[in-house]
Amino acid sequence: MNELESVAGTKPFWLRGNLAPVAEEVTAFDLPVEGAIPPVLRGLYARNGANPRQGHSGHWFFGDGMLHGVSLRNGRAEWYRNCWIRTPQYDGAERNPGAFDVRSSTANTNVISHAGRIMALVENALPMIMNRELGTVGFHDYDGKLNTPFTAHPKVCPMSGELHFFGYGFRPPFLTYHVADAAGTLVRSIEIPVRASTMVHDFALTSGHVVFMDLPVVFDLPTAQRGTMPFAWSDSYGARLGILPRGAGLESLRWVEIEPGYVFHVANAFEEADGTIVVDVAWYNELWRGGPSATHFDKATLKRWRIPPGASKAQEQQLDDRSIEFPRIDDRLAGLRHNIVYSVDSGTDLASERYTTVRKYELTSGSSTAHDFGTGLPSEFTYIPSEGARGEDHGWLIGFVYDRTRSTSDLMILDAQKIEGKPVARIQLPRRVPQGFHGNWIPDAR
Ligand SMILES: [Fe+2]
């Protein structure tokens, strides 16, 4: 039992219920389907998450990465498979977050595709290249050019095909911004000067700018010594956004003050005609005071920052008072104006597992609709656009749902135009899929 377990007097939340890891790798073919998988969906839905091989870990974010994937073709669910990502840690290397080693990785947070490479990501390490069958290929360091960690939340610019990303670390350079071109060549790396090592989980991209978040969840040695995520809330650090025109040098970087709080996830950002930058985020009023908790996770709500040209302080607007997480959009609009945000209602908090609902916000009207899975516990849902369709909801939402009554999981496909309706397809999986982090739809090349 580690320290956090003994403090809580029980297992920490990430080892209980459907957050608990699964012990085996499983493959199943030709899965039973209720409803009909749209035949135009040809590709792989893959989702990453922490699944400690030894059955325990010091924090939810520390477990070995495991991918769960379902291959869809011709209206069939060809296969389901779950695979641990073969990192040095999985193979027995000691995890040492303080070692500043970009090959000390769990690869457990996200899985994306760019320039023909499927990459499993965790924010303290290099990307890990995977194949379509969820096999591990190896670390990717951009021909030796990348020597910082790589965020789990890079952005693909729909206009240029570039991949914008950053890395943060415990020692200088604390924050570095990178761009890979559409062919997957690293073409730009620039250090963003910040005062300390803070936890930087995400950032924002618009058509003309990148926005970095410098927030008061700061590296904390006593917290690190507890063997948990080494960050804690700071009342004194302050909070600000760093705004850099894309392609410009540091002389163009400006900082804008915001209310102190924390953001794991940016839904999207865009620019209005007068140059005002708009950023929609899942907002925590405070996070990890005294360090991370083993019994609960703080709550987030949807919030908007508006930053007019020349402003020294952002305008802040609460968009809703429901607790949500895992905000997603139509990724073809990354950095462009969006109206719809998809998310998961997180109820009391993500650790409670008392949430059943996927929500669709329509921001211009201020309304939302939802799909309540009843006895089901949804993970993140990802939007898949219908080919050729322009609307932000002319497509489907896809994600895993754990059914408490059957102790197993389904891959659900919802009609994004009418998410409250009966699922388009329920793909029955041969086992439960633990609550994880992030997934994406990786369409087959045509
Ligand atoms: Fe994330």
Side-chain angles (χ1 to χ4, degrees):
M1 189 175 277
N2 69 19
E3 187 217 7
L4 281 173
E5 291 177 42
S6 59
V7 167
T10 180
K11 285 182 178 179
F13 71 82
W14 57 89
L15 301 179
R16 297 196 306 250
N18 199 44
L19 284 152
V22 292
E24 310 90 22
E25 297 179 320
V26 169
T27 299
F29 297 95
D30 275 325
L31 307 166
V33 179
E34 184 182 294
I37 300 167
V40 295
L41 294 181
R42 292 175 57 86
L44 171 70
Y45 174 70
R47 201 218 61 196
N48 208 340
N51 195 96
R53 187 184 186 188
Q54 306 302 332
H56 57 84
S57 62
H59 189 271
W60 187 18
F61 298 169
F62 282 176
D64 301 291
M66 176 179 277
L67 293 181
H68 297 260
V70 178
S71 175
L72 304 182
R73 277 179 183 152
N74 305 320
R76 289 172 47 231
E78 281 190 322
W79 51 259
Y80 158 83
R81 178 171 296 144
N82 69 306
C83 284
W84 268 292
I85 299 163
R86 266 50 177 186
T87 61
Q89 176 178 319
Y90 173 89
D91 287 327
E94 185 105 353
R95 185 179 191 281
N96 185 357
F100 312 118
D101 179 358
V102 291
R103 287 177 165 75
S104 177
S105 176
T106 55
N108 71 12
T109 311
N110 201 352
V111 54
I112 68 154
S113 176
H114 183 252
R117 296 186 188 97
I118 298 173
M119 299 191 287
L121 306 174
V122 67
E123 65 196 30
N124 69 324
L126 294 173
M128 185 68 91
I129 297 180
M130 309 298 296
N131 65 31
R132 194 186 182 281
E133 283 66 48
L134 309 187
T136 303
V137 177
F139 284 116
H140 183 45
D141 66 1
Y142 289 84
D143 296 324
K145 289 191 208 168
L146 181 63
N147 52 22
T148 76
F150 187 116
T151 175
H153 291 285
K155 316 290 177 201
V156 179
C157 173
M159 299 178 297
S160 65
E162 293 165 335
L163 188 71
H164 293 249
F165 60 98
F166 66 90
Y168 80 91
F170 301 126
R171 64 177 180 185
F174 291 127
L175 185 62
T176 310
Y177 165 54
H178 304 275
V179 182
D181 67 15
T185 302
L186 190 67
V187 293
R188 185 157 199 243
S189 296
I190 176 170
E191 181 183 344
I192 305 299
V194 290
R195 294 160 289 172
S197 172
T198 66
M199 183 169 68
V200 192
H201 189 70
D202 199 349
F203 76 135
L205 176 79
T206 73
S207 56
H209 294 82
V210 282
V211 181
F212 302 98
M213 298 184 289
D214 189 20
L215 304 178
V217 176
V218 180
F219 179 80
D220 184 68
L221 191 57
T223 301
Q225 288 167 339
R226 286 166 49 204
T228 182
M229 277 290 282
F231 296 97
W233 178 262
S234 164
D235 283 321
S236 60
Y237 188 76
R240 56 185 193 158
L241 304 176
I243 300 176
L244 181 70
R246 282 167 59 166
L250 274 186
E251 67 283 357
S252 301
L253 177 68
R254 69 185 173 105
W255 292 98
V256 172
E257 195 185 332
I258 57 170
E259 291 297 318
Y262 193 73
V263 169
F264 282 103
H265 300 125
V266 172
N268 192 36
F270 61 89
E271 296 185 21
E272 296 181 333
D274 69 354
T276 296
I277 292 174
V278 180
V279 189
D280 289 347
V281 299
W283 171 258
Y284 294 78
N285 286 322
E286 184 177 300
L287 186 89
W288 295 356
R289 180 173 288 276
S293 163
T295 57
H296 77 277
F297 207 82
D298 298 291
K299 294 198 289 189
T301 52
L302 198 60
K303 185 173 184 174
R304 171 166 286 188
W305 293 312
R306 298 184 80 257
I307 307 141
S312 59
K313 200 165 188 310
Q315 302 163 1
E316 311 200 13
Q317 180 189 3
Q318 196 71 43
L319 297 179
D320 193 24
D321 56 7
R322 291 181 185 85
S323 299
I324 55 101
E325 250 300 356
F326 302 115
R328 298 293 301 256
I329 60 154
D330 178 346
D331 287 332
R332 299 172 306 172
L333 298 178
L336 305 174
R337 184 184 290 268
H338 66 283
N339 176 37
I340 294 176
V341 172
Y342 302 102
S343 63
V344 176
D345 283 11
S346 52
T348 357
D349 69 64
L350 290 172
S352 75
E353 296 190 85
R354 293 197 195 97
Y355 52 93
T356 58
T357 301
V358 172
R359 187 164 298 277
K360 171 190 179 184
Y361 286 104
E362 299 193 53
L363 299 178
T364 48
S365 68
S367 64
S368 74
T369 50
H371 189 101
D372 188 337
F373 287 100
T375 56
L377 185 63
S379 291
E380 181 191 69
F381 268 64
T382 300
Y383 176 70
I384 309 175
S386 177
E387 202 173 322
R390 291 203 167 173
E392 294 169 58
D393 60 359
H394 292 201
W396 301 273
L397 288 171
I398 192 166
F400 293 116
V401 177
Y402 170 68
D403 188 330
R404 294 177 174 87
T405 58
R406 297 181 295 129
S407 295
T408 188
S409 296
D410 300 309
L411 180 63
M412 294 284 194
I413 302 176
L414 304 178
D415 179 344
Q417 284 194 289
K418 196 172 170 48
I419 71 162
E420 65 277 24
K422 188 176 162 63
V424 170
R426 179 172 74 88
I427 300 161
Q428 298 174 46
L429 306 177
R431 58 102 49 77
R432 76 177 177 90
V433 174
Q435 301 306 100
F437 301 129
H438 304 288
N440 281 294
W441 171 248
I442 301 166
D444 287 353
R446 276 174 295 133

